[in-house]
Amino acid sequence: MITTASTVDPVEPAAQRSIIFADGYLNKLSGERIEYECRRRLETGCRELELNFSNTEIVNSIGISILLGVIDTASDKGARIVFSEVNDETVELFEMLGLTKHVVIE
Amino acid sequence: MAEHSHKLIHAFGALAELGHEITNKNNFQETIRTSLHLISGALGIMRGSVARYSRFGHELNMLAIRGLGDDFPLSLSLCSEDERQFLSNGLNPIEISQAKVLPFFQVYDSSFERRSLELFVPLVVRDEIVGAIFLGEKASGDPYTNYEKEIICAMGHHIGVAIAQRNLMAEIERQAEQNRLLFDEMRSTYHDTVKAFAAAIDCKDKYTEGHSVRVGKFSEIIAAEMGWGNDEVEGAAVAGYLHDVGKLTVERKIINAPYRINAKESAELNKHPSVGFEILQPIHHPFTDVPLAAKYHHERLDGRGYPDGLFDREIPYIAKIVNLADSFDAMTTDRPYRARRGAKDVIEDLQRNAGRQFAPELVTAFLGGLLKELAGENREKRFRRLLGREYMETEGIRDKLRYTLNEMAPTTPMTYVAAAASVSELPIH
């Protein structure tokens, strides 16, 4: 199932693997919506969650915090998190802050 | 080294964003939530919370919480005075694993351990604890370094200031509300006192019962018709209520004389404006002109009034209002030596004496208010309550008012020419 944070159907059951596009939402308080959506999918059976960063140029501290929230929830549920299409600069940031210890970068 | 610099730049970016967030007048809850994100994101911290200290309940109440689970307590009690004293010594991160000798950390040990909380940061502003930050493990799994603790302190200082500001605002709002209630209470007491005085003044004169109250209400109408603000209108009413307070010192037999009083008695009676001023002057009125209204309400524009024979602009405006209200009430109520005068006669009197005794614009405003009520434009029935239904239904009173207002101010909208069905309906004199 592929969705962006802005086009979510709240009643649709999640598939085993879901893709969510981070887009520009991540770096603001409104990015909590992405975290909420990830949690919803993890709670409805999703076991592999892909976060796609193709439209995300930079990730700031708020974005990191939101991603940590997703990682924490996935860890509790025993799910796998994949970050895809992440640019080099952001990968470096994820490595520096230890996020790469918890996710797979594709 | 390069990674260290990179980390520093990232953390400084978060610190700058936090400063911006705190100084912006955003929603407080959102500010705190954003602050927690920024501190977590700056150093890659998995979970944490920000709490506000309540000095009433000695509790740390959670304002923002991330990843601590539903079973984490939302309110943590800081019972011991010594412990509170210790925590308010300064803004230094405390390693929870090293602080288990303190009762607070013993009581909540299992909750802290369950969610791997590592740091407790008391938020201290001006030597007072205002809140705390709880921080969990880092995503890297590494222990916190000293430089990271310094960054946490810097960010914690911002968050502490935001909480202290919010507390201060809440206190100011609470005090402002208390002051408002107190002011309303005092205002109500003041008005009750004024009305009690008015009743006391009126008791002395059995023929003019209710005179002061009516003058207060007519003064209120005039001020309102002049477009004054609420406070000024209220002040005009008070001036009217108290204008005759000096009569309290005049002998009852003079006030109640069922005949025209002689010169000596008249001189005695005519002292009441100055006596009224002397009574009212030492009182701190919310409306400063009240004593002046009492002193000069018998002055006339043409200088033939008393006590000082002032001319037009020398007379305080409030006194001109009370003078008109006082005269109107005298003309429209029965006296021991004559009956009340008819409505048309009173209107003519006011017109004739506008510019002599009365300020013309006040007469226009007052009669305009009366016409508005008669024409149904004002449904408050202010005049009807004071003059009675019969008086208000005097035949031809509306036309008389229109004609008078037209004559008094033919070029202004107050003339009500437009309000008349046609100009030909106006009475021809």
Side-chain angles (χ1 to χ4, degrees), chain A residues 32 35 65 72 92 101-102, chain B residues 33 37 47 66 139-140:
Chain A
E32 286 179 347
E35 189 181 351
S65 173
D72 208 23
E92 202 181 324
K101 290 192 172 178
H102 306 270
Chain B
R33 260 166 59 212
H37 277 305
R47 56 192 78 90
R66 285 189 58 70
S140 63

Side-chain angles (χ1 to χ4, degrees), chain A residues 102, chain B residues 43-49 66 68 72 92-100 104-105 108-122 133-145 148-149 152:
Chain A
H102 306 270
Chain B
L43 301 171
I45 300 165
M46 293 300 290
R47 56 192 78 90
S49 69
R66 285 189 58 70
L68 297 185
F72 192 80
N92 293 307
I94 295 169
E95 294 207 16
I96 292 173
S97 60
Q98 307 292 312
K100 289 183 180 172
F104 174 75
F105 296 97
Y108 297 105
D109 184 47
S110 60
S111 299
F112 295 166
E113 253 188 33
R114 198 162 40 247
R115 296 310 289 166
S116 309
L117 287 182
E118 293 190 5
L119 285 185
F120 172 85
V121 189
I133 303 174
F134 297 84
L135 296 173
E137 64 192 335
K138 283 164 53 187
S140 63
D142 300 332
Y144 284 92
T145 64
E148 285 172 332
K149 286 178 185 171
I152 290 168

Side-chain angles (χ1 to χ4, degrees), chain B residues 204-250:
Chain B
K204 195 148 189 186
D205 184 352
K206 66 178 178 182
Y207 293 108
T208 58
E209 199 178 354
H211 170 69
S212 298
V213 172
R214 286 193 301 275
V215 172
K217 291 190 185 302
F218 284 133
S219 299
E220 189 178 339
I221 292 171
I222 296 166
E225 289 300 324
M226 289 297 289
W228 288 12
N230 288 344
D231 283 352
E232 285 83 6
V233 169
E234 208 175 319
V238 170
Y241 281 126
L242 296 177
H243 76 288
D244 266 348
V245 72
K247 279 189 179 171
L248 287 171
T249 64
V250 180

Side-chain angles (χ1 to χ4, degrees), chain B residues 184-365:
Chain B
D184 284 350
E185 221 169 271
M186 283 169 69
R187 195 182 188 126
S188 166
T189 306
Y190 175 77
H191 283 288
D192 288 348
T193 309
V194 165
K195 282 177 186 167
F197 258 98
I201 300 159
D202 292 345
C203 271
K204 195 148 189 186
D205 184 352
K206 66 178 178 182
Y207 293 108
T208 58
E209 199 178 354
H211 170 69
S212 298
V213 172
R214 286 193 301 275
V215 172
K217 291 190 185 302
F218 284 133
S219 299
E220 189 178 339
I221 292 171
I222 296 166
E225 289 300 324
M226 289 297 289
W228 288 12
N230 288 344
D231 283 352
E232 285 83 6
V233 169
E234 208 175 319
V238 170
Y241 281 126
L242 296 177
H243 76 288
D244 266 348
V245 72
K247 279 189 179 171
L248 287 171
T249 64
V250 180
E251 278 188 65
R252 194 180 283 265
K253 68 175 184 187
I254 297 176
I255 294 174
N256 289 329
Y259 51 82
R260 289 207 179 271
I261 53 178
N262 63 33
K264 193 182 165 195
E265 290 168 328
S266 183
E268 179 66 24
L269 183 63
N270 290 355
K271 283 181 192 165
H272 82 269
S274 300
V275 173
F277 178 77
E278 295 301 321
I279 293 171
L280 295 173
Q281 178 65 4
I283 300 168
H284 183 73
H285 296 273
F287 317 105
T288 51
D289 293 343
V290 171
L292 294 175
K295 183 162 185 179
Y296 297 119
H297 73 274
H298 282 298
E299 296 290 357
R300 297 166 51 100
L301 264 59
D302 57 13
R304 291 171 56 219
Y306 66 93
D308 294 339
L310 300 180
F311 284 91
D312 196 355
R313 289 188 181 180
E314 296 171 324
I315 307 168
Y317 210 72
I318 189 73
K320 291 178 183 175
I321 289 180
V322 174
N323 174 274
L324 174 59
D326 187 28
S327 303
F328 183 77
D329 186 61
M331 287 189 266
T332 54
T333 47
D334 291 329
R335 291 293 157 112
Y337 43 86
R338 61 150 177 80
R340 77 195 306 202
R341 291 164 61 182
K344 289 184 187 173
D345 184 23
V346 171
I347 294 165
E348 278 172 18
D349 195 308
L350 294 184
Q351 183 187 10
R352 192 167 52 248
N353 283 299
R356 295 177 188 164
Q357 180 179 348
F358 310 120
E361 73 278 13
L362 294 181
V363 175
T364 308

